[in-house]
Structure formats: C-alpha cells, structure tokens
Short mmCIF file of all heavy atoms in Angstrom, two decimals:
data_model
loop_
_atom_site.label_atom_id
_atom_site.label_comp_id
_atom_site.label_asym_id
_atom_site.label_seq_id
_atom_site.Cartn_x
_atom_site.Cartn_y
_atom_site.Cartn_z
N MET A 176 0.87 5.66 8.59
CA MET A 176 0.49 4.65 7.61
C MET A 176 1.18 3.33 7.98
O MET A 176 2.34 3.31 8.32
CB MET A 176 0.90 5.12 6.21
CG MET A 176 0.39 4.24 5.12
SD MET A 176 0.79 4.80 3.45
CE MET A 176 -0.05 6.36 3.41
N GLU A 177 0.44 2.27 7.87
CA GLU A 177 0.96 0.95 8.20
C GLU A 177 2.01 0.51 7.18
O GLU A 177 1.92 0.84 5.99
CB GLU A 177 -0.20 -0.04 8.22
CG GLU A 177 0.19 -1.40 8.74
CD GLU A 177 -1.00 -2.34 8.75
OE1 GLU A 177 -2.09 -1.91 9.13
OE2 GLU A 177 -0.80 -3.49 8.34
N GLN A 178 2.99 -0.25 7.65
CA GLN A 178 4.09 -0.67 6.78
C GLN A 178 3.61 -1.50 5.59
O GLN A 178 4.17 -1.38 4.50
CB GLN A 178 5.14 -1.42 7.58
CG GLN A 178 5.97 -0.52 8.45
CD GLN A 178 7.16 -1.23 9.06
OE1 GLN A 178 7.39 -2.41 8.81
NE2 GLN A 178 7.91 -0.50 9.85
N GLU A 179 2.61 -2.33 5.78
CA GLU A 179 2.11 -3.14 4.65
C GLU A 179 1.49 -2.26 3.58
O GLU A 179 1.65 -2.52 2.38
CB GLU A 179 1.10 -4.19 5.13
CG GLU A 179 1.74 -5.42 5.74
CD GLU A 179 2.65 -6.16 4.77
OE1 GLU A 179 2.27 -6.37 3.59
OE2 GLU A 179 3.75 -6.55 5.18
N GLN A 180 0.81 -1.19 3.98
CA GLN A 180 0.25 -0.26 3.01
C GLN A 180 1.36 0.45 2.24
O GLN A 180 1.26 0.62 1.03
CB GLN A 180 -0.62 0.78 3.71
CG GLN A 180 -1.94 0.25 4.22
CD GLN A 180 -2.71 1.34 4.94
OE1 GLN A 180 -2.17 2.01 5.80
NE2 GLN A 180 -3.96 1.50 4.58
N ILE A 181 2.39 0.86 2.96
CA ILE A 181 3.53 1.52 2.31
C ILE A 181 4.19 0.55 1.33
O ILE A 181 4.51 0.92 0.21
CB ILE A 181 4.54 2.02 3.35
CG1 ILE A 181 3.92 3.12 4.20
CG2 ILE A 181 5.82 2.52 2.66
CD1 ILE A 181 4.76 3.52 5.39
N LEU A 182 4.36 -0.69 1.75
CA LEU A 182 4.97 -1.70 0.88
C LEU A 182 4.14 -1.90 -0.39
O LEU A 182 4.69 -1.96 -1.50
CB LEU A 182 5.13 -3.03 1.63
CG LEU A 182 5.73 -4.17 0.84
CD1 LEU A 182 7.13 -3.81 0.32
CD2 LEU A 182 5.80 -5.43 1.70
N ASN A 183 2.83 -1.97 -0.26
CA ASN A 183 1.97 -2.14 -1.44
C ASN A 183 2.08 -0.94 -2.37
O ASN A 183 2.14 -1.11 -3.60
CB ASN A 183 0.52 -2.37 -1.01
CG ASN A 183 0.31 -3.74 -0.42
OD1 ASN A 183 1.07 -4.67 -0.70
ND2 ASN A 183 -0.71 -3.89 0.40
N GLN A 184 2.10 0.26 -1.82
CA GLN A 184 2.27 1.46 -2.64
C GLN A 184 3.61 1.43 -3.36
O GLN A 184 3.70 1.75 -4.54
CB GLN A 184 2.17 2.72 -1.79
CG GLN A 184 0.77 3.03 -1.33
CD GLN A 184 0.74 4.27 -0.45
OE1 GLN A 184 1.77 4.77 -0.03
NE2 GLN A 184 -0.46 4.74 -0.17
N CYS A 185 4.65 1.05 -2.63
CA CYS A 185 5.99 0.99 -3.23
C CYS A 185 6.06 -0.05 -4.33
O CYS A 185 6.70 0.17 -5.36
CB CYS A 185 7.03 0.69 -2.15
SG CYS A 185 7.34 2.07 -1.03
N ARG A 186 5.41 -1.17 -4.14
CA ARG A 186 5.40 -2.21 -5.18
C ARG A 186 4.71 -1.71 -6.45
O ARG A 186 5.16 -2.00 -7.56
CB ARG A 186 4.73 -3.48 -4.66
CG ARG A 186 5.64 -4.24 -3.73
CD ARG A 186 5.21 -5.69 -3.56
NE ARG A 186 6.28 -6.42 -2.92
CZ ARG A 186 6.14 -7.14 -1.82
NH1 ARG A 186 4.96 -7.23 -1.23
NH2 ARG A 186 7.17 -7.78 -1.30
N ASN A 187 3.63 -0.95 -6.28
CA ASN A 187 2.95 -0.38 -7.45
C ASN A 187 3.84 0.62 -8.18
O ASN A 187 3.91 0.61 -9.41
CB ASN A 187 1.64 0.28 -7.03
CG ASN A 187 0.60 -0.73 -6.61
OD1 ASN A 187 0.64 -1.89 -7.01
ND2 ASN A 187 -0.33 -0.32 -5.78
N ILE A 188 4.51 1.48 -7.44
CA ILE A 188 5.42 2.46 -8.03
C ILE A 188 6.57 1.73 -8.75
O ILE A 188 6.92 2.06 -9.87
CB ILE A 188 5.98 3.42 -6.97
CG1 ILE A 188 4.86 4.29 -6.40
CG2 ILE A 188 7.09 4.29 -7.54
CD1 ILE A 188 5.24 5.04 -5.14
N ALA A 189 7.13 0.73 -8.08
CA ALA A 189 8.25 -0.02 -8.65
C ALA A 189 7.82 -0.71 -9.95
O ALA A 189 8.57 -0.69 -10.94
CB ALA A 189 8.75 -1.05 -7.64
N ARG A 190 6.66 -1.29 -9.96
CA ARG A 190 6.17 -1.98 -11.16
C ARG A 190 6.07 -1.02 -12.34
O ARG A 190 6.46 -1.36 -13.45
CB ARG A 190 4.80 -2.60 -10.84
CG ARG A 190 4.33 -3.60 -11.86
CD ARG A 190 3.05 -4.33 -11.43
NE ARG A 190 3.19 -4.99 -10.14
CZ ARG A 190 2.48 -4.68 -9.05
NH1 ARG A 190 1.56 -3.74 -9.10
NH2 ARG A 190 2.65 -5.32 -7.93
N ARG A 191 5.58 0.19 -12.09
CA ARG A 191 5.47 1.18 -13.17
C ARG A 191 6.84 1.62 -13.68
O ARG A 191 6.96 2.03 -14.83
CB ARG A 191 4.70 2.41 -12.67
CG ARG A 191 3.21 2.18 -12.52
CD ARG A 191 2.45 3.47 -12.34
NE ARG A 191 2.87 4.25 -11.21
CZ ARG A 191 2.33 4.20 -9.99
NH1 ARG A 191 1.35 3.36 -9.76
NH2 ARG A 191 2.77 4.97 -9.03
N LYS A 192 7.86 1.51 -12.84
CA LYS A 192 9.21 1.93 -13.23
C LYS A 192 10.07 0.76 -13.70
O LYS A 192 11.26 0.90 -13.90
CB LYS A 192 9.89 2.64 -12.05
CG LYS A 192 9.20 3.95 -11.69
CD LYS A 192 9.92 4.70 -10.61
CE LYS A 192 9.24 6.03 -10.34
NZ LYS A 192 10.04 6.92 -9.53
N GLY A 193 9.48 -0.43 -13.85
CA GLY A 193 10.22 -1.59 -14.33
C GLY A 193 11.09 -2.23 -13.26
O GLY A 193 12.08 -2.89 -13.58
N LEU A 194 10.72 -2.05 -12.00
CA LEU A 194 11.49 -2.59 -10.89
C LEU A 194 10.63 -3.53 -10.07
O LEU A 194 9.42 -3.64 -10.29
CB LEU A 194 11.97 -1.43 -9.99
CG LEU A 194 12.77 -0.33 -10.67
CD1 LEU A 194 12.95 0.84 -9.73
CD2 LEU A 194 14.11 -0.86 -11.14
N LYS A 195 11.25 -4.21 -9.13
CA LYS A 195 10.49 -5.00 -8.18
C LYS A 195 11.16 -4.91 -6.82
O LYS A 195 12.35 -4.62 -6.71
CB LYS A 195 10.34 -6.44 -8.63
CG LYS A 195 11.62 -7.23 -8.72
CD LYS A 195 11.29 -8.64 -9.21
CE LYS A 195 12.53 -9.48 -9.36
NZ LYS A 195 12.21 -10.83 -9.81
N ILE A 196 10.39 -5.16 -5.78
CA ILE A 196 10.88 -5.09 -4.41
C ILE A 196 10.92 -6.51 -3.87
O ILE A 196 9.93 -7.25 -3.93
CB ILE A 196 9.96 -4.20 -3.55
CG1 ILE A 196 9.96 -2.78 -4.11
CG2 ILE A 196 10.42 -4.21 -2.10
CD1 ILE A 196 8.98 -1.85 -3.46
N ILE A 197 12.07 -6.88 -3.35
CA ILE A 197 12.30 -8.22 -2.82
C ILE A 197 12.59 -8.12 -1.33
O ILE A 197 13.36 -7.27 -0.90
CB ILE A 197 13.50 -8.88 -3.53
CG1 ILE A 197 13.26 -8.91 -5.04
CG2 ILE A 197 13.77 -10.27 -2.98
CD1 ILE A 197 14.49 -9.27 -5.84
N ARG A 198 11.97 -9.00 -0.56
CA ARG A 198 12.29 -9.05 0.87
C ARG A 198 13.70 -9.60 1.06
O ARG A 198 14.05 -10.63 0.50
CB ARG A 198 11.32 -9.95 1.62
CG ARG A 198 9.96 -9.35 1.80
CD ARG A 198 9.14 -10.15 2.80
NE ARG A 198 7.77 -9.71 2.79
CZ ARG A 198 7.31 -8.75 3.58
NH1 ARG A 198 8.10 -8.16 4.43
NH2 ARG A 198 6.03 -8.39 3.52
N ALA A 199 14.49 -8.90 1.86
CA ALA A 199 15.84 -9.36 2.17
C ALA A 199 15.75 -10.41 3.27
O ALA A 199 14.71 -10.58 3.91
CB ALA A 199 16.70 -8.18 2.61
N LYS A 200 16.85 -11.10 3.51
CA LYS A 200 16.87 -12.11 4.55
C LYS A 200 16.70 -11.51 5.94
O LYS A 200 16.08 -12.09 6.81
CB LYS A 200 18.16 -12.92 4.49
CG LYS A 200 18.22 -13.83 3.29
CD LYS A 200 19.44 -14.70 3.31
CE LYS A 200 19.45 -15.60 2.08
NZ LYS A 200 20.60 -16.49 2.06
N ALA A 201 17.24 -10.31 6.13
CA ALA A 201 17.09 -9.62 7.41
C ALA A 201 15.65 -9.13 7.55
O ALA A 201 15.06 -8.64 6.60
CB ALA A 201 18.07 -8.46 7.52
N ASP A 202 15.10 -9.28 8.72
CA ASP A 202 13.71 -8.92 8.97
C ASP A 202 13.47 -7.43 8.77
O ASP A 202 14.20 -6.59 9.28
CB ASP A 202 13.33 -9.32 10.40
CG ASP A 202 11.84 -9.23 10.63
OD1 ASP A 202 11.08 -9.50 9.70
OD2 ASP A 202 11.45 -8.90 11.77
N GLY A 203 12.45 -7.09 7.98
CA GLY A 203 12.07 -5.70 7.78
C GLY A 203 12.89 -4.95 6.75
O GLY A 203 12.74 -3.74 6.62
N LEU A 204 13.75 -5.65 6.01
CA LEU A 204 14.57 -4.98 5.00
C LEU A 204 14.20 -5.48 3.61
O LEU A 204 13.73 -6.61 3.44
CB LEU A 204 16.06 -5.22 5.26
CG LEU A 204 16.61 -4.66 6.57
CD1 LEU A 204 18.08 -4.99 6.70
CD2 LEU A 204 16.37 -3.16 6.67
N PHE A 205 14.42 -4.61 2.63
CA PHE A 205 14.02 -4.90 1.26
C PHE A 205 15.13 -4.48 0.30
O PHE A 205 15.94 -3.62 0.61
CB PHE A 205 12.74 -4.15 0.90
CG PHE A 205 11.60 -4.48 1.82
CD1 PHE A 205 11.40 -3.76 2.99
CD2 PHE A 205 10.74 -5.51 1.53
CE1 PHE A 205 10.37 -4.07 3.85
CE2 PHE A 205 9.71 -5.84 2.38
CZ PHE A 205 9.52 -5.11 3.55
N ILE A 206 15.13 -5.10 -0.87
CA ILE A 206 16.08 -4.79 -1.94
C ILE A 206 15.26 -4.44 -3.17
O ILE A 206 14.25 -5.11 -3.46
CB ILE A 206 16.99 -6.00 -2.23
CG1 ILE A 206 17.81 -6.34 -1.00
CG2 ILE A 206 17.89 -5.73 -3.43
CD1 ILE A 206 18.55 -7.66 -1.10
N ILE A 207 15.69 -3.43 -3.91
CA ILE A 207 15.03 -3.09 -5.17
C ILE A 207 15.85 -3.72 -6.29
O ILE A 207 17.07 -3.59 -6.32
CB ILE A 207 14.94 -1.56 -5.34
CG1 ILE A 207 14.10 -0.97 -4.22
CG2 ILE A 207 14.33 -1.23 -6.71
CD1 ILE A 207 14.04 0.53 -4.21
N ALA A 208 15.16 -4.40 -7.20
CA ALA A 208 15.83 -5.09 -8.30
C ALA A 208 15.17 -4.72 -9.63
O ALA A 208 14.00 -4.33 -9.67
CB ALA A 208 15.76 -6.60 -8.10
N ASP A 209 15.93 -4.86 -10.70
CA ASP A 209 15.40 -4.69 -12.05
C ASP A 209 14.46 -5.87 -12.33
O ASP A 209 14.83 -7.02 -12.12
CB ASP A 209 16.55 -4.67 -13.05
CG ASP A 209 16.07 -4.48 -14.46
OD1 ASP A 209 15.72 -5.51 -15.08
OD2 ASP A 209 16.04 -3.34 -14.92
N ALA A 210 13.26 -5.58 -12.78
CA ALA A 210 12.27 -6.64 -12.97
C ALA A 210 12.63 -7.59 -14.10
O ALA A 210 12.37 -8.79 -14.01
CB ALA A 210 10.89 -6.02 -13.23
N LYS A 211 13.24 -7.09 -15.17
CA LYS A 211 13.57 -7.95 -16.31
C LYS A 211 14.80 -8.79 -16.06
O LYS A 211 14.83 -9.99 -16.32
CB LYS A 211 13.77 -7.10 -17.56
CG LYS A 211 12.52 -6.49 -18.09
CD LYS A 211 12.80 -5.69 -19.34
CE LYS A 211 11.55 -4.99 -19.83
NZ LYS A 211 11.82 -4.11 -20.97
N GLU A 212 15.86 -8.15 -15.57
CA GLU A 212 17.14 -8.84 -15.40
C GLU A 212 17.29 -9.51 -14.04
O GLU A 212 18.20 -10.30 -13.83
CB GLU A 212 18.29 -7.84 -15.60
CG GLU A 212 18.29 -7.16 -16.95
CD GLU A 212 18.55 -8.12 -18.09
OE1 GLU A 212 19.27 -9.13 -17.89
OE2 GLU A 212 18.03 -7.86 -19.19
N ASN A 213 16.40 -9.13 -13.10
CA ASN A 213 16.44 -9.67 -11.74
C ASN A 213 17.76 -9.35 -11.03
O ASN A 213 18.24 -10.14 -10.23
CB ASN A 213 16.18 -11.18 -11.75
CG ASN A 213 15.57 -11.64 -10.44
OD1 ASN A 213 14.86 -10.89 -9.79
ND2 ASN A 213 15.85 -12.87 -10.07
N TRP A 214 18.34 -8.22 -11.34
CA TRP A 214 19.58 -7.77 -10.70
C TRP A 214 19.26 -6.77 -9.61
O TRP A 214 18.43 -5.87 -9.81
CB TRP A 214 20.51 -7.10 -11.70
CG TRP A 214 21.14 -8.00 -12.69
CD1 TRP A 214 21.22 -9.36 -12.64
CD2 TRP A 214 21.80 -7.62 -13.90
NE1 TRP A 214 21.87 -9.85 -13.73
CE2 TRP A 214 22.24 -8.80 -14.52
CE3 TRP A 214 22.05 -6.41 -14.51
CZ2 TRP A 214 22.93 -8.79 -15.72
CZ3 TRP A 214 22.73 -6.41 -15.71
CH2 TRP A 214 23.17 -7.59 -16.29
N ALA A 215 19.93 -6.90 -8.48
CA ALA A 215 19.74 -5.94 -7.39
C ALA A 215 20.29 -4.59 -7.80
O ALA A 215 21.37 -4.49 -8.37
CB ALA A 215 20.43 -6.44 -6.13
N ILE A 216 19.53 -3.55 -7.53
CA ILE A 216 19.94 -2.19 -7.83
C ILE A 216 20.40 -1.49 -6.54
O ILE A 216 21.25 -0.62 -6.58
CB ILE A 216 18.78 -1.41 -8.48
CG1 ILE A 216 18.44 -2.04 -9.82
CG2 ILE A 216 19.11 0.06 -8.65
CD1 ILE A 216 17.23 -1.44 -10.49
N THR A 217 19.81 -1.88 -5.43
CA THR A 217 20.13 -1.25 -4.14
C THR A 217 20.61 -2.29 -3.15
O THR A 217 20.42 -3.49 -3.35
CB THR A 217 18.91 -0.54 -3.54
OG1 THR A 217 17.93 -1.53 -3.19
CG2 THR A 217 18.31 0.48 -4.50
N SER A 218 21.19 -1.82 -2.08
CA SER A 218 21.49 -2.69 -0.95
C SER A 218 20.22 -2.79 -0.10
O SER A 218 19.19 -2.21 -0.42
CB SER A 218 22.65 -2.12 -0.14
OG SER A 218 22.33 -0.83 0.31
N GLU A 219 20.29 -3.50 1.00
CA GLU A 219 19.12 -3.67 1.86
C GLU A 219 18.73 -2.34 2.49
O GLU A 219 19.58 -1.58 2.93
CB GLU A 219 19.43 -4.68 2.96
CG GLU A 219 19.72 -6.06 2.42
CD GLU A 219 20.16 -7.04 3.50
OE1 GLU A 219 20.50 -6.58 4.61
OE2 GLU A 219 20.14 -8.24 3.23
N MET A 220 17.41 -2.06 2.49
CA MET A 220 16.89 -0.81 3.05
C MET A 220 15.59 -1.10 3.77
O MET A 220 14.89 -2.06 3.42
CB MET A 220 16.58 0.19 1.93
CG MET A 220 17.74 0.61 1.08
SD MET A 220 17.27 1.90 -0.10
CE MET A 220 16.31 0.96 -1.29
N ASN A 221 15.26 -0.25 4.74
CA ASN A 221 13.95 -0.39 5.37
C ASN A 221 12.90 0.20 4.43
O ASN A 221 13.22 0.85 3.44
CB ASN A 221 13.91 0.26 6.76
CG ASN A 221 14.09 1.75 6.73
OD1 ASN A 221 13.59 2.44 5.85
ND2 ASN A 221 14.83 2.27 7.70
N ILE A 222 11.63 -0.02 4.73
CA ILE A 222 10.56 0.36 3.81
C ILE A 222 10.49 1.87 3.59
O ILE A 222 10.14 2.34 2.52
CB ILE A 222 9.20 -0.22 4.27
CG1 ILE A 222 8.16 -0.10 3.16
CG2 ILE A 222 8.71 0.44 5.54
CD1 ILE A 222 8.52 -0.84 1.89
N TYR A 223 10.86 2.66 4.59
CA TYR A 223 10.82 4.12 4.46
C TYR A 223 11.91 4.61 3.51
O TYR A 223 11.70 5.53 2.72
CB TYR A 223 10.93 4.78 5.83
CG TYR A 223 9.83 4.33 6.75
CD1 TYR A 223 10.09 3.42 7.78
CD2 TYR A 223 8.52 4.76 6.57
CE1 TYR A 223 9.07 2.97 8.60
CE2 TYR A 223 7.49 4.32 7.39
CZ TYR A 223 7.77 3.42 8.41
OH TYR A 223 6.75 2.98 9.21
N SER A 224 13.06 3.96 3.55
CA SER A 224 14.14 4.29 2.61
C SER A 224 13.78 3.85 1.20
O SER A 224 14.10 4.54 0.24
CB SER A 224 15.45 3.62 3.05
OG SER A 224 15.87 4.13 4.29
N VAL A 225 13.10 2.72 1.09
CA VAL A 225 12.64 2.24 -0.23
C VAL A 225 11.70 3.27 -0.84
O VAL A 225 11.83 3.64 -2.00
CB VAL A 225 11.95 0.86 -0.11
CG1 VAL A 225 11.21 0.50 -1.39
CG2 VAL A 225 12.97 -0.21 0.23
N ARG A 226 10.75 3.75 -0.05
CA ARG A 226 9.79 4.74 -0.54
C ARG A 226 10.50 6.02 -1.00
O ARG A 226 10.21 6.54 -2.08
CB ARG A 226 8.77 5.07 0.55
CG ARG A 226 7.74 6.09 0.12
CD ARG A 226 6.63 6.26 1.10
NE ARG A 226 7.14 6.66 2.40
CZ ARG A 226 6.38 6.85 3.47
NH1 ARG A 226 5.09 6.69 3.39
NH2 ARG A 226 6.91 7.21 4.61
N SER A 227 11.44 6.48 -0.21
CA SER A 227 12.18 7.68 -0.57
C SER A 227 12.99 7.46 -1.85
O SER A 227 13.00 8.30 -2.76
CB SER A 227 13.10 8.08 0.58
OG SER A 227 13.89 9.17 0.23
N TRP A 228 13.65 6.32 -1.95
CA TRP A 228 14.47 6.00 -3.12
C TRP A 228 13.59 5.96 -4.38
O TRP A 228 13.95 6.52 -5.41
CB TRP A 228 15.18 4.66 -2.91
CG TRP A 228 16.22 4.36 -3.92
CD1 TRP A 228 17.55 4.64 -3.84
CD2 TRP A 228 16.03 3.72 -5.21
NE1 TRP A 228 18.19 4.21 -4.99
CE2 TRP A 228 17.29 3.64 -5.83
CE3 TRP A 228 14.94 3.20 -5.86
CZ2 TRP A 228 17.47 3.07 -7.08
CZ3 TRP A 228 15.10 2.64 -7.12
CH2 TRP A 228 16.37 2.59 -7.72
N LEU A 229 12.44 5.30 -4.29
CA LEU A 229 11.56 5.20 -5.46
C LEU A 229 11.02 6.56 -5.89
O LEU A 229 10.84 6.81 -7.08
CB LEU A 229 10.38 4.26 -5.15
CG LEU A 229 10.70 2.78 -5.14
CD1 LEU A 229 9.52 1.99 -4.60
CD2 LEU A 229 11.09 2.28 -6.51
N ASN A 230 10.77 7.44 -4.93
CA ASN A 230 10.26 8.76 -5.26
C ASN A 230 11.29 9.60 -6.01
O ASN A 230 10.92 10.49 -6.77
CB ASN A 230 9.81 9.50 -4.00
CG ASN A 230 8.50 8.95 -3.48
OD1 ASN A 230 7.70 8.40 -4.22
ND2 ASN A 230 8.30 9.07 -2.19
N HIS A 231 12.56 9.30 -5.84
CA HIS A 231 13.61 10.06 -6.51
C HIS A 231 14.19 9.35 -7.74
O HIS A 231 14.93 9.96 -8.50
CB HIS A 231 14.74 10.38 -5.52
CG HIS A 231 14.32 11.33 -4.47
ND1 HIS A 231 13.83 10.91 -3.25
CD2 HIS A 231 14.27 12.68 -4.45
CE1 HIS A 231 13.51 11.97 -2.54
NE2 HIS A 231 13.76 13.05 -3.24
N TYR A 232 13.86 8.09 -7.94
CA TYR A 232 14.41 7.30 -9.04
C TYR A 232 13.78 7.71 -10.37
O TYR A 232 12.55 7.79 -10.47
CB TYR A 232 14.19 5.82 -8.79
CG TYR A 232 14.66 4.92 -9.91
CD1 TYR A 232 16.01 4.63 -10.06
CD2 TYR A 232 13.77 4.37 -10.83
CE1 TYR A 232 16.46 3.82 -11.09
CE2 TYR A 232 14.21 3.55 -11.85
CZ TYR A 232 15.55 3.28 -11.98
OH TYR A 232 15.99 2.49 -12.99
N GLU A 233 14.60 7.95 -11.35
CA GLU A 233 14.13 8.22 -12.71
C GLU A 233 14.57 7.07 -13.61
O GLU A 233 15.77 6.80 -13.70
CB GLU A 233 14.73 9.52 -13.23
CG GLU A 233 14.31 10.76 -12.47
CD GLU A 233 12.87 11.16 -12.75
OE1 GLU A 233 12.40 10.89 -13.87
OE2 GLU A 233 12.24 11.72 -11.86
N ALA A 234 13.63 6.40 -14.22
CA ALA A 234 13.96 5.26 -15.08
C ALA A 234 14.62 5.71 -16.36
O ALA A 234 14.45 6.78 -16.84
CB ALA A 234 12.71 4.47 -15.39
#
C-alpha cells in the first residue's frame, strides 16, 4: 500500500478518535496530537508506526 493511502487511512482513524496527524519537520515523520488541545501525544514516528499506534490507542 502506498504511503499516501496509509496516511489518509490514519487521518480518518485519528479523526474518529479525536486526534490529528501532523507532519514533523523531519522528512517522512509524523506526530500524533490531540485535536482539541493541539498537544503532541507522541514523538516523531514513521507512517507505519503511526498506523500501529492508532490501531492500539483507546480514547
């Protein structure tokens, strides 16, 4: 699966859980943040780690 497709799926999952995915300054890395407070919840991760983290996250 292409990385952009994975990113779009992750953004949909994050939105349902009250989170958002932000591109980090480093190329190809992302940070998960609380959508309301805009606070980072995770450190920088690649898209595959983001997907795994979201699949295990319970709001």
Side-chain angles (χ1 to χ4, degrees):
M176 188 177 298
E177 188 180 317
Q178 286 190 1
E179 280 300 315
Q180 287 178 310
I181 295 170
L182 179 59
N183 287 336
Q184 287 178 349
C185 288
R186 284 199 167 126
N187 289 336
I188 294 167
R190 194 173 304 117
R191 286 193 302 267
K192 295 185 177 193
L194 304 170
K195 64 181 178 179
I196 299 173
I197 303 168
R198 286 192 190 270
K200 289 185 180 181
D202 192 34
L204 297 179
F205 302 89
I206 298 169
I207 298 175
D209 181 275
K211 289 181 184 175
E212 301 295 329
N213 207 30
W214 289 345
I216 296 174
T217 66
S218 58
E219 297 174 345
M220 299 185 287
N221 65 38
I222 193 60
Y223 302 104
S224 296
V225 168
R226 180 172 58 182
S227 176
W228 191 93
L229 284 171
N230 286 333
H231 292 94
Y232 177 78
E233 295 288 330

